[in-house]
Amino acid sequence: MSWSWPFVAEILPFLIQGLWVTVKITLVASALAMVIGLVFAFAKMSRVNALRATANVISEAIRRTPFLVQLYFLFYVLPDIGILLAPVTAGILGLSVHYGAYISEVYRAGILSVPGGQWEAARACNLTQRQTWIQIVLPQAIPPVIPPLGNYVIAMFKETPILSAISVLDVMGQALAQASYNYRYLEPISLVAGAFLFVSLTSAALIKLLERRLQRVD
């Protein structure tokens, strides 16, 4: 099968539309994953044994099971108990929870990197627990973890093709729809691969630039 530029021109608007859906899903899921990850990190470092143990068990369960299985559970199993999620909603929720479990470890590493003297200084200044976290710990813990967080955003973006398994019309979903309808897979899949490669390389370069700037600030 030879390459057909007319076919490319025909399907390109659908792929661009799907790529925009992919980007929006990635951005929303990334924001939610960072919040979920922070909640998990706080819970894992809690002084309450039951809360800490529960957070560790849930986090490990999420990290040790495949994302596709979790996605199927959200989309196909939850309706059996009366919880019906739209494909995009299930995809965003699945991505955010799955990567939130990984991001929690990044946050935890950043928090543990704060010198113990900073905690003691906060106590000496009679700062409350909330003031210690907001004014002392988080401002020092967050900047070092920005590059790893950026890498997880890229990983989430590359994971979105799995959402086509639950009929999300992201860029991969659109490509598969056009390929099956026209019985041509060369152009749609090649264009999707090129789109993912371009966006991933561009994002990685931006993260590298941000990392260098943060190092200069330090």
Side-chain angles (χ1 to χ4, degrees), residues 1-16 171-172 174-196:
M1 182 180 294
S2 60
W3 185 272
S4 173
W5 287 110
F7 182 54
V8 170
E10 178 185 339
I11 66 173
L12 195 57
F14 297 99
L15 297 185
I16 293 174
V171 65
M172 178 58 76
Q174 289 282 11
L176 292 175
Q178 295 300 319
S180 60
Y181 180 77
N182 294 279
Y183 299 102
R184 292 185 66 95
Y185 285 85
L186 173 62
E187 294 87 353
I189 302 303
S190 298
L191 290 172
V192 167
F196 273 99

Side-chain angles (χ1 to χ4, degrees), residues 102-124:
Y102 287 94
I103 288 174
S104 68
E105 291 301 312
V106 176
Y107 282 135
R108 195 157 73 105
I111 292 170
L112 292 176
S113 70
V114 177
Q118 297 292 319
W119 297 87
E120 296 172 4
R123 284 194 293 269

Side-chain angles (χ1 to χ4, degrees), residues 24-105:
K24 287 193 293 184
I25 289 174
T26 303
L27 293 176
V28 174
S30 298
L32 290 175
M34 290 179 190
V35 174
I36 292 171
L38 193 59
V39 172
F40 268 127
F42 284 149
K44 288 178 181 179
M45 302 183 72
S46 172
R47 295 177 181 178
V48 181
N49 292 334
L51 179 60
R52 187 173 63 250
T54 301
N56 281 319
V57 168
I58 294 175
S59 177
E60 283 300 307
I62 293 171
R63 293 169 60 195
R64 302 303 175 186
T65 52
F67 172 59
L68 183 58
V69 174
Q70 298 168 16
L71 191 63
Y72 278 171
F73 182 87
L74 291 172
F75 192 68
Y76 292 111
V77 177
L78 289 186
D80 291 341
I81 58 174
I83 302 175
L84 184 62
L85 300 176
V88 172
T89 303
I92 290 174
L93 183 60
L95 281 171
S96 58
V97 172
H98 184 79
Y99 278 92
Y102 287 94
I103 288 174
S104 68
E105 291 301 312

